[in-house]
Structures are given as C-alpha cells and as structure tokens.
Amino acid sequence: MAGETLQVYFLGTAGALPTPNRNPSCVMVRHGSDTLLFDCGEGAQQQMMRARTGFLVDAIFITHWHADHFLGVLGLVQTMAFNGRTEPLVIYGPDGVHDFVDYTIKIGRTKLGFDLQPIQLAPGMAVRFEGYQVEAFATAHGMPSIGYVLREDVRPGRFDREKAISLGVPPGPLFGRLQRGESVTVTRDGAEVTITPDQILGTSRPGRMIIYTGDTRPIHHLQTEGLEGADLLIHDATFDDSERGRAGEVFHSTAGEAGEAASALKAHSLALVHISSRYTSMTNHIRDAEEKFEGEVLAPADLTMVEVPFRE
C-alpha cells in the first residue's frame, strides 16, 4: 500500500435534476490500480470519457435506490460489454441490490459476457481490498440508504536505515522484510540475533480515509463512531442555509449542516455535492459551510479531480 495514489474524481455533483454543467451523482475513487464508483447517475460513462479515466471499474457502490444514483449503471455495463469485458463486476448496495441487478440484466436483453454480482450491505459491514476496505454506515434519507467510508490500513512507522545497519542488518532484502513487519535473523559477533520491526520502525502512521455520504440528513446526528478524522468528507449539500426547513422535509442537508458535520467529525476537508439545480453559483454554499467548519471547503465542479495526500 505504501505510496499508493488516492484520487477522487467528481464525475457528477448535481442533485436530483441534472443541469448543463452538473451530472447526477457519481464519484470515482482510484486507489493505486483499483477503480471504484460510488453511485452511478445517468451519463456517468460520458463523464468518464471526458475525464479520460477509462471504463476499468472494479466495483460499484450504490447508496440508495433513487434513479439519479443508479441509472448510469445500465449504460455503463453495456459499454463494458461492447469493450469485451470478461471479469465479474460486483455491485454493492442496500436492500434491493439483487432486484436491481436482475432488472439490469433483463432490460439489457443482451449477453454481457461477464457476470454482474449483487452484494447487499448493511451498516457495519465492510468489503476488503488490498491495503484498505470500504465500510457501510447508516444515513438518513427516508428510505433504505447507506454511506461509505474508504479506510486504508494503518501504515508502518518510518524505517530507520542507520539503526538497522547499526544492529547488523545489511542493506538489501532484509530491509524490505522489516518494513513489511517481519522479523529477521542476522549474524552478529558470531551469534545469530533476531531483529524485530519495532526495533527499526517508528510509530505507526494512520492511513487515509474518505467518507461519501450519498443523500442524507447531516450524518453527525447519527451513529458515527469511527468516522472521525477523515481526510475528505464528501457530504450532501443540496441547499444553502436559507432552505434548512426544506432540507429537513426532504431528507437532505444544507451546506451549513455539512459544515457542522465536518466540524463534529474533525474532518480535514469537506466537499459539497448533490447541489440542487436551482443554484448557479456556489458562493452561498461555500460561505455557509465555512461559517461552521474551519478546514478546507471544496465546491467541486464536475470533472474535478482531487488527490488525497498522506498525513503524518
């Protein structure tokens, strides 16, 4: 995992209705060689063309079964089939994911050439990948819905090269084994000595974390233990704060409420998404969020790519 890139492509940042400048919900995350989609609104494959990401998606995670979050899957899987995909594609989601995959296959009326595999997730469940996992957590949208957190494994502490040499470890393959957490045996003063990683490595360092809420009321009012300290919180901000009453009625959030969530969860940066088509400017959204949150506030336009760096 060490040194893996972590990139977030905002392929669709609109609310329920698309606009000339915003597509429905779709966030692509690239972790090293893995590519994951979180929601897949209509037109997602065209956004992938515009962003030049290609179509090599390893898994799709759907937050809930409102059409603006899944309609893009139907076209995307057909494009994958036309391009000769043979590897299975897993679609994760809340209750209803098996029906969705069945309908997708039936409506297409063509043999895809690869398996679509539905897997239902509930809050607290996790999907394991190499060096990280994607966990589902509860959201509040008036229907079965979940959000997702991508959480990297804890990273080893920094390798002290000079300390290793002083303990008799020669530069080379044994360095790598120690960095991977393995003990090694060396000969020192005519005797075999075991060197353990804790003698060489500094304090372990946190992996990176991204939270994607999908559509929801502010998530800090829910059970959010374990979601503190995200590098990037991507939160529903359908309305500006003048529409707090409306946001509550339709189970969405305002930009200020997203800022409150980011502050409560001690996130490092906040991205405002699912923007209602009534807004042509993000000035009020950014202002409302910044009044509640001292960290970085982003209002990404479609096709924006954000790189998430390692933290010490």
Short mmCIF file of all heavy atoms in Angstrom, two decimals, residues 74 77-78 102-112:
data_model
loop_
_atom_site.label_atom_id
_atom_site.label_comp_id
_atom_site.label_asym_id
_atom_site.label_seq_id
_atom_site.Cartn_x
_atom_site.Cartn_y
_atom_site.Cartn_z
N LEU A 74 -26.84 1.11 -16.11
CA LEU A 74 -27.39 0.37 -17.24
C LEU A 74 -26.56 0.60 -18.51
O LEU A 74 -26.20 -0.34 -19.21
CB LEU A 74 -28.85 0.75 -17.48
CG LEU A 74 -29.87 0.11 -16.53
CD1 LEU A 74 -29.82 0.75 -15.14
CD2 LEU A 74 -31.29 0.24 -17.08
N VAL A 77 -22.65 -0.77 -18.08
CA VAL A 77 -22.37 -2.19 -18.23
C VAL A 77 -22.48 -2.62 -19.70
O VAL A 77 -21.75 -3.52 -20.15
CB VAL A 77 -23.28 -3.07 -17.34
CG1 VAL A 77 -23.04 -2.78 -15.87
CG2 VAL A 77 -24.75 -2.91 -17.70
N GLN A 78 -23.35 -1.96 -20.47
CA GLN A 78 -23.42 -2.26 -21.90
C GLN A 78 -22.13 -1.83 -22.60
O GLN A 78 -21.60 -2.56 -23.45
CB GLN A 78 -24.62 -1.55 -22.53
CG GLN A 78 -25.97 -2.04 -22.05
CD GLN A 78 -26.24 -3.48 -22.40
OE1 GLN A 78 -25.87 -3.95 -23.48
NE2 GLN A 78 -26.90 -4.20 -21.50
N ASP A 102 -30.94 -7.90 -11.23
CA ASP A 102 -31.83 -8.73 -12.06
C ASP A 102 -32.49 -7.89 -13.16
O ASP A 102 -32.53 -8.29 -14.33
CB ASP A 102 -32.92 -9.38 -11.21
CG ASP A 102 -32.38 -10.53 -10.36
OD1 ASP A 102 -31.28 -11.02 -10.66
OD2 ASP A 102 -33.08 -10.92 -9.40
N TYR A 103 -33.00 -6.72 -12.79
CA TYR A 103 -33.66 -5.85 -13.76
C TYR A 103 -32.67 -5.37 -14.82
O TYR A 103 -32.99 -5.28 -16.01
CB TYR A 103 -34.29 -4.64 -13.07
CG TYR A 103 -35.40 -4.97 -12.12
CD1 TYR A 103 -35.62 -4.18 -10.98
CD2 TYR A 103 -36.23 -6.06 -12.32
CE1 TYR A 103 -36.65 -4.47 -10.10
CE2 TYR A 103 -37.25 -6.36 -11.43
CZ TYR A 103 -37.45 -5.57 -10.32
OH TYR A 103 -38.46 -5.85 -9.45
N THR A 104 -31.45 -5.04 -14.39
CA THR A 104 -30.43 -4.55 -15.32
C THR A 104 -30.14 -5.61 -16.39
O THR A 104 -30.03 -5.30 -17.58
CB THR A 104 -29.15 -4.19 -14.57
OG1 THR A 104 -29.42 -3.14 -13.64
CG2 THR A 104 -28.05 -3.74 -15.52
N ILE A 105 -30.03 -6.85 -15.97
CA ILE A 105 -29.76 -7.93 -16.92
C ILE A 105 -30.95 -8.15 -17.85
O ILE A 105 -30.79 -8.29 -19.07
CB ILE A 105 -29.40 -9.22 -16.16
CG1 ILE A 105 -28.07 -9.03 -15.41
CG2 ILE A 105 -29.31 -10.41 -17.12
CD1 ILE A 105 -27.74 -10.17 -14.45
N LYS A 106 -32.17 -8.14 -17.29
CA LYS A 106 -33.36 -8.40 -18.10
C LYS A 106 -33.62 -7.27 -19.10
O LYS A 106 -33.96 -7.52 -20.26
CB LYS A 106 -34.56 -8.59 -17.18
CG LYS A 106 -34.51 -9.88 -16.38
CD LYS A 106 -35.67 -9.97 -15.40
CE LYS A 106 -35.58 -11.23 -14.56
NZ LYS A 106 -36.66 -11.30 -13.54
N ILE A 107 -33.49 -6.03 -18.66
CA ILE A 107 -33.76 -4.89 -19.54
C ILE A 107 -32.78 -4.84 -20.69
O ILE A 107 -33.12 -4.49 -21.82
CB ILE A 107 -33.73 -3.58 -18.72
CG1 ILE A 107 -34.94 -3.51 -17.79
CG2 ILE A 107 -33.72 -2.36 -19.64
CD1 ILE A 107 -34.88 -2.37 -16.80
N GLY A 108 -31.51 -5.19 -20.43
CA GLY A 108 -30.48 -5.13 -21.48
C GLY A 108 -30.75 -6.08 -22.63
O GLY A 108 -30.40 -5.80 -23.77
N ARG A 109 -31.33 -7.24 -22.35
CA ARG A 109 -31.70 -8.24 -23.37
C ARG A 109 -30.52 -8.66 -24.25
O ARG A 109 -30.70 -9.05 -25.39
CB ARG A 109 -32.84 -7.72 -24.26
CG ARG A 109 -34.15 -7.58 -23.53
CD ARG A 109 -35.27 -7.14 -24.46
NE ARG A 109 -36.53 -7.06 -23.75
CZ ARG A 109 -37.39 -8.07 -23.60
NH1 ARG A 109 -37.09 -9.26 -24.12
NH2 ARG A 109 -38.52 -7.92 -22.94
N THR A 110 -29.32 -8.48 -23.75
CA THR A 110 -28.14 -8.97 -24.46
C THR A 110 -27.25 -9.70 -23.47
O THR A 110 -27.26 -9.39 -22.27
CB THR A 110 -27.33 -7.83 -25.12
OG1 THR A 110 -26.96 -6.88 -24.10
CG2 THR A 110 -28.13 -7.13 -26.20
N LYS A 111 -26.44 -10.62 -23.97
CA LYS A 111 -25.49 -11.33 -23.10
C LYS A 111 -24.29 -10.43 -22.88
O LYS A 111 -23.61 -10.02 -23.83
CB LYS A 111 -25.07 -12.64 -23.75
CG LYS A 111 -24.17 -13.49 -22.86
CD LYS A 111 -23.95 -14.86 -23.46
CE LYS A 111 -22.98 -15.69 -22.62
NZ LYS A 111 -23.48 -15.87 -21.24
N LEU A 112 -24.04 -10.11 -21.62
CA LEU A 112 -22.98 -9.16 -21.32
C LEU A 112 -21.59 -9.73 -21.58
O LEU A 112 -20.67 -9.00 -21.93
CB LEU A 112 -23.07 -8.72 -19.85
CG LEU A 112 -24.29 -7.86 -19.48
CD1 LEU A 112 -24.29 -7.58 -17.98
CD2 LEU A 112 -24.28 -6.55 -20.26
#
